[in-house]
Amino acid sequence: MSKRKDKTVIKSTGRNLQNVDITDLDDFYDVDYGQEKKALRRGQNRNKKTLKRDLDLADGLVLEIMSNNFFKISSNGEVFTAIMGGRLKQFMFNQRRVLAVGDKVKIDLSNGTPYRIEELLKRKNRLVRYTEGGFQKETLIASNMDCAVVTVSCLKPMLKLGLIDRFIIQAEYDNIEPVIVINKTDLVEDLGPYIEKLAYYRESGYQVFFVSTVTGLGMEELKDYLQDKVSVFSGQSGVGKSSIINVLMPGLDLAVSEISDYNEKGRHTTTSSRLVEWDFGGYLVDTPGIKTLSLKRDNKEIVYKYFPGFSRFNCYFNNCTHTHEDHCGVKEAVENGIIPLKIYESYLRIIE
């Protein structure tokens, strides 16, 4: 008996096969008739290459999301409004937003205004937050950032190390360099205790700035650090993010919120994300205030891996959770006073 040759696979494009003429039964067995679903062929890889012809493509930067289909774009020194091309719209079925401020895109200029966004270029990183509740929904805030300015205050609202830890974990996970800014230093008589509280973060390699929008302390140093970078200010509302930005760039006049005497929480003053060009070089991602930051519950590994400073200490187990394991470098550092107990307690609260 002769060896049967490998089958030839024929995939239809959705049409039913009719009037198939079978002259030889062996030939029929050698062909596998099947249908490939369109959903399996449609993926985000289609975004990498357009099939349209005669396009006049230019590089663009998304400055502001005006609606789900209208965007403010910067390209070749001009700022204009563009709409989303059809190939990008098809990806909206599995996510709320396809584009974010900071995205680098390709714009088709061939058909005049409104120009069309035809391609989304690969992102260096992205900043997301997760909703609270049983089903955590991901919200994309911005992309392609150089640093995340984790902003807290000495008083009104009071300093909370747990918020610093949460923002650093998220920034490290999103591949964004975190920098810590302690605002409202003018409200305390002695900065010594606050410098001591933040010493652990400096020892862990993070930049820490003590600033005041009233006295000007630390503002020039912060401006030098942010020059020519794309930066986003993150932190509890009411800590003075807008006030800091207004001092860094006079004339921008971002709205400043009042602090509630009841709960020491501020009100949101920014309603939508946008990209603002610094007058000293670089961009600011102006995004709505975040009162709390919820990490994704089904990804606890990022807390083990990215909690501030823990990577400095060696553990016997590669997947050590730093809670119950033997030969844990983190627990030994806590016992020896290298890691402050309050820092470790913050870690345990986030894990819980």
Side-chain angles (χ1 to χ4, degrees):
M1 179 181 294
S2 61
K3 182 180 178 181
R4 180 172 294 170
K5 60 184 178 180
D6 294 336
K7 286 188 176 183
T8 302
V9 179
I10 299 178
K11 295 180 180 178
S12 73
T13 59
R15 304 183 185 89
N16 294 327
L17 294 175
Q18 296 180 348
N19 300 327
V20 179
D21 186 14
I22 302 174
T23 57
D24 190 329
L25 192 59
D26 287 336
D27 290 341
F28 175 76
Y29 286 139
D30 289 339
V31 178
D32 187 6
Y33 295 94
Q35 179 176 337
E36 183 182 21
K37 294 182 179 180
K38 290 183 178 180
L40 298 179
R41 300 197 307 271
R42 182 178 64 180
Q44 293 205 14
N45 286 334
R46 288 187 61 186
N47 175 47
K48 296 180 180 179
K49 185 178 181 180
T50 179
L51 300 179
K52 296 181 180 179
R53 298 180 179 179
D54 301 325
L55 298 183
D56 180 15
L57 294 179
D59 293 329
L61 178 67
V62 178
L63 298 180
E64 185 176 351
I65 299 176
M66 306 172 70
S67 71
N68 283 339
N69 194 42
F70 286 88
F71 305 86
K72 186 176 291 186
I73 305 294
S74 172
S75 178
N76 295 326
E78 297 183 38
V79 177
F80 49 79
T81 301
I83 61 176
M84 188 187 301
R87 288 182 312 105
L88 290 175
K89 285 183 184 178
Q90 70 177 333
F91 303 133
M92 295 187 70
F93 68 90
N94 64 355
Q95 52 189 313
R96 182 182 176 186
R97 285 181 177 174
V98 177
L99 299 177
V101 295
D103 274 337
K104 296 178 180 180
V105 295
K106 290 287 187 181
I107 312 294
D108 178 23
L109 309 178
S110 60
N111 294 322
T113 57
Y115 301 126
R116 295 174 66 91
I117 304 173
E118 291 292 342
E119 296 182 28
L120 168 62
L121 303 183
K122 185 177 180 180
R123 292 168 175 150
K124 177 174 68 174
N125 52 42
R126 61 188 196 131
L127 179 65
V128 300
R129 69 177 176 216
Y130 299 94
T131 58
E132 298 181 355
F135 178 74
Q136 289 186 292
K137 187 175 181 181
E138 177 182 295
T139 301
L140 178 61
I141 300 175
S143 68
N144 298 320
M145 289 152 291
D146 296 310
C147 64
V149 183
V150 183
T151 313
V152 293
S153 57
C154 293
L155 295 173
K156 295 185 179 182
M158 62 182 295
L159 176 63
K160 297 178 182 179
L161 298 181
L163 284 177
I164 296 177
D165 298 333
R166 287 173 180 266
F167 283 113
I168 288 179
I169 291 169
Q170 188 66 61
E172 294 276 20
Y173 177 66
D174 291 328
N175 194 30
I176 307 169
E177 179 184 354
V179 55
I180 304 170
V181 170
I182 316 298
N183 191 25
K184 301 187 181 181
T185 56
D186 54 282
L187 297 182
V188 297
E189 294 182 358
D190 184 11
L191 269 181
Y194 295 91
I195 294 175
E196 185 178 349
K197 288 181 181 180
L198 274 296
Y200 171 79
Y201 298 95
R202 275 183 166 156
E203 294 167 359
S204 300
Y206 298 104
Q207 290 271 0
V208 179
F209 294 92
F210 287 89
V211 305
S212 169
T213 58
V214 176
T215 66
L217 174 69
M219 297 304 300
E220 285 301 320
E221 292 81 357
L222 179 60
K223 179 185 289 189
D224 291 341
Y225 177 83
L226 298 178
Q227 187 175 5
D228 298 328
K229 292 184 175 70
V230 178
S231 53
V232 58
F233 279 68
S234 303
Q236 184 183 12
S237 57
V239 297
K241 299 187 296 293
S242 297
S243 298
I244 292 174
I245 292 168
N246 287 334
V247 172
L248 290 172
M249 186 171 168
L252 190 57
D253 295 330
L254 295 184
V256 180
S257 67
E258 297 294 332
I259 304 300
S260 168
D261 293 331
Y262 172 72
N263 57 15
E264 286 197 336
K265 292 182 179 180
R267 301 175 181 87
H268 295 310
T269 53
T270 306
T271 57
S272 61
S273 297
R274 58 174 179 154
L275 208 60
V276 179
E277 188 172 5
W278 291 118
D279 57 8
F280 52 86
Y283 286 92
L284 160 72
V285 180
D286 183 25
T287 185
I290 304 173
K291 289 188 176 182
T292 59
L293 181 64
S294 298
L295 302 173
K296 197 171 184 181
R297 281 189 294 272
D298 60 359
N299 199 2
K300 283 189 177 181
E301 293 79 9
I302 73 169
V303 183
Y304 310 150
K305 183 176 181 181
Y306 295 111
F307 191 87
F310 278 14
S311 61
R312 295 186 292 154
F313 307 99
N314 296 322
C315 299
Y316 182 80
F317 300 101
N318 291 331
N319 58 347
C320 184
T321 65
H322 318 305
T323 55
H324 63 276
E325 295 88 350
D326 295 327
H327 309 294
C328 172
V330 170
K331 291 196 300 180
E332 292 175 0
V334 176
E335 294 173 0
N336 295 328
I338 301 175
I339 296 179
L341 182 59
K342 287 189 176 181
I343 297 289
Y344 185 67
E345 289 174 345
S346 172
Y347 168 77
L348 295 179
R349 283 194 297 270
I350 293 174
I351 292 295
E352 291 172 359

